Amino acid sequence: MLTLNRLVAEGNAEGILEYAREFHGHVCPYLALGIRASLIAMEELGVGRLDHSSSVDESLLAIVEINSCFTDGVQVATGCTLGNNSLIYLDLGKTALTLVKRSTWEGVRVYADAERLRKYYPPGTTELFNRVVRERKGSAEERKRLWELWEEVAKAMLHLPRDEFKIKRVRVPPIEQAPIVESVRCAKCGELVMETRAVHVNGEPLCLRCAGEAYLAVVGRGIVEIERRGC
């Protein structure tokens, strides 16, 4: 099996989608859309997928504006992931990717309009999706049919014409690289926590949970504040 870097260099969208299937768990239109948007952005910016050295240096940044299947397609295609600190999530709810070179802060923003893409869906697909996924009421047969349709639509998304996207050159304000910080041990639960996420109570370090402080989390609807609670 060809490496992802090789597939991206060759523009082999179908091959990338197979990797994305394993990463994401299934194939769907917006997973493929993330791949297509990424390939367009990389071509416009004149860059390839992150390799070993560039991922360590965080030389390429992917800024996504939605936490959906689209974002997994971006992570697979660009190599910019949450874990290697090259993926930035803006909680804007838009199907958009901005790919940026850290050396110059020049970037390309690629936006996809969901309404314009509905013409690529076979009749009845949206209704079936609503029943199976949104309402979670579909039968086994309906689920099977939806996955078949999803594969069909996903393959269409891989080859969308460029004029289906809004493509814009941008310049991004500098974004700091991920800092390397020390850890401290929570005086209550005994677990290590990044010192930047610890609070001190009566001179002792506590993690946010043990301190009863609120903290942020990314869930299905975006970034939310988790209520205060103790360990």
Side-chain angles (χ1 to χ4, degrees):
M1 196 173 187
L2 294 177
T3 66
L4 265 171
N5 285 358
R6 176 78 175 276
L7 291 168
V8 171
E10 295 176 352
N12 188 334
E14 286 81 3
I16 301 168
L17 183 63
E18 288 310 306
Y19 272 95
R21 182 198 302 272
E22 295 299 317
F23 179 78
H24 186 63
H26 63 266
V27 165
C28 59
Y30 276 71
L31 180 69
L33 191 62
I35 293 171
R36 178 63 177 138
S38 297
L39 291 176
I40 290 174
M42 285 187 281
E43 181 181 359
E44 283 283 323
L45 204 56
V47 298
R49 189 176 187 274
L50 282 186
D51 58 17
H52 172 72
S53 61
S54 56
S55 64
V56 171
D57 296 337
E58 302 171 26
S59 60
L60 188 67
L61 295 178
I63 304 172
V64 295
E65 301 178 20
I66 195 166
N67 59 322
S68 72
C69 307
F70 176 85
T71 295
D72 274 0
V74 170
Q75 291 189 94
V76 171
T78 65
C80 299
T81 71
L82 182 66
N84 66 22
N85 294 304
S86 295
L87 181 80
I88 294 173
Y89 166 54
L90 305 181
D91 193 14
L92 294 173
K94 295 183 179 182
T95 306
L97 158 69
T98 301
L99 203 61
V100 185
K101 288 193 284 190
R102 190 183 282 277
S103 59
T104 61
W105 297 109
E106 295 174 346
V108 175
R109 184 175 184 267
V110 181
Y111 163 78
D113 193 308
E115 286 187 355
R116 290 185 58 174
L117 300 181
R118 287 177 186 168
K119 60 179 177 263
Y120 294 95
Y121 287 55
T125 303
T126 300
E127 292 77 10
L128 189 57
F129 170 82
N130 288 338
R131 179 164 179 78
V132 173
V133 179
R134 190 187 297 274
E135 300 173 10
R136 308 189 193 281
K137 294 179 180 179
S139 66
E141 292 76 15
E142 287 173 322
R143 291 174 65 86
K144 182 175 182 295
R145 178 55 180 157
L146 178 63
W147 303 144
E148 291 171 350
L149 289 172
W150 256 193
E151 290 261 354
E152 178 184 337
V153 178
K155 289 173 181 175
M157 296 291 170
L158 289 177
H159 302 285
L160 286 175
R162 291 169 62 90
D163 60 13
E164 290 289 4
F165 296 88
K166 180 180 176 182
I167 304 169
K168 182 180 179 182
R169 287 274 178 170
V170 296
R171 191 169 182 85
V172 176
I175 300 170
E176 66 172 348
Q177 287 184 291
I180 306 300
V181 300
E182 298 295 330
S183 295
V184 295
R185 195 170 298 278
C186 176
K188 185 173 181 181
C189 70
E191 296 178 352
L192 288 173
V193 58
M194 294 169 60
E195 62 180 358
T196 53
R197 291 295 179 271
V199 296
H200 286 77
V201 178
N202 298 324
E204 293 187 318
L206 295 177
C207 68
L208 292 173
R209 277 196 185 124
C210 288
E213 295 288 339
Y215 51 92
L216 301 177
V218 178
V219 300
R221 65 179 184 272
I223 299 174
V224 300
E225 185 175 83
I226 304 296
E227 64 184 24
R228 299 166 183 263
R229 64 184 75 174
C231 289

